Amino acid sequence: MSVFIRTFYLIRNCTVETLIPAQTSKYFIYLFMGKQLLFSTLLIFFISTKLPAQPVNKDSIEKIAIKDVKNLFKLKNPQLHNFRKYRYTSSSDYFKPSELNVSNGSLLKDSVYVNTYRTVAYYQTKKRRTAAHYIILGAGTVVVASTVVLFAILAKATK
């Protein structure tokens, strides 16, 4: 029993620097190697479990989401009116991708795709203008251009 306790004590407190040649029996060397093997195995296991199995390429998924929004997404007029009236955010259900407005239905399970889709759809809808906006801009441009022409004619007439 004392040999077992002595061996256990030596293994527990053993490092390469504390090995004394007199204590190096075959049994002790096997236990020391087993301790080092167990430590190495556990170290490799815990390091490898933290690493992802496959790296995710976010860029390609984001490009697909942007392409889907530009080609397949557009709010209808009543939804657009509610969006402007209540100032919804990108987390609103109006911008949630569905089977109808995505190119690949399996991407609906990917969080990067869904978040990119919602964000791009929100900003695309936010940039949309009504017909009245363009009419006002056109009328303003005509007024400014006609004022410039009128001043140019008046300047020539007074010379």
Side-chain angles (χ1 to χ4, degrees):
M1 189 70 162
S2 64
V3 174
F4 178 75
I5 293 172
R6 182 174 169 226
T7 307
F8 178 75
Y9 177 76
L10 290 174
I11 290 172
R12 190 180 61 162
N13 296 325
C14 181
T15 61
V16 176
E17 292 82 26
T18 60
L19 278 178
I20 301 170
Q23 296 174 341
T24 55
S25 66
K26 281 186 176 181
Y27 183 69
F28 180 74
I29 291 174
Y30 287 131
L31 288 176
F32 179 76
M33 290 173 58
K35 180 181 173 183
Q36 296 301 324
L37 181 64
L38 177 65
F39 176 76
S40 302
T41 306
L42 290 175
L43 183 68
I44 291 170
F45 173 76
F46 286 120
I47 289 174
S48 65
T49 57
K50 301 291 183 190
L51 298 175
Q54 180 179 2
V56 178
N57 190 358
K58 290 184 179 181
D59 293 341
S60 62
I61 294 173
E62 289 173 353
K63 286 178 186 177
I64 294 170
I66 291 168
K67 182 180 171 190
D68 286 349
V69 169
K70 290 189 187 267
N71 295 337
L72 303 171
F73 178 81
K74 187 174 182 181
L75 283 182
K76 295 178 179 66
N77 283 335
Q79 293 173 336
L80 183 62
H81 178 70
N82 284 340
F83 167 73
R84 289 196 174 120
K85 184 177 179 182
Y86 298 113
R87 301 184 188 274
Y88 291 121
T89 63
S90 63
S91 61
S92 169
D93 283 342
Y94 285 140
F95 307 111
K96 186 176 182 181
S98 67
E99 291 283 339
L100 300 174
N101 52 11
V102 296
S103 60
N104 186 356
S106 65
L107 289 174
L108 293 174
K109 298 174 186 171
D110 188 4
S111 63
V112 173
Y113 177 83
V114 171
N115 288 335
T116 305
Y117 187 95
R118 282 179 177 251
T119 305
V120 173
Y122 170 77
Y123 284 111
Q124 178 180 328
T125 304
K126 195 173 176 182
K127 286 193 296 187
R128 263 180 81 183
R129 305 290 182 212
T130 60
H133 171 80
Y134 293 110
I135 290 171
I136 292 170
L137 282 179
T141 304
V142 169
V143 168
V144 169
S146 62
T147 305
V148 169
V149 169
L150 181 66
F151 279 123
I153 291 174
L154 289 176
K156 279 201 176 217
T158 56
K159 276 188 179 183

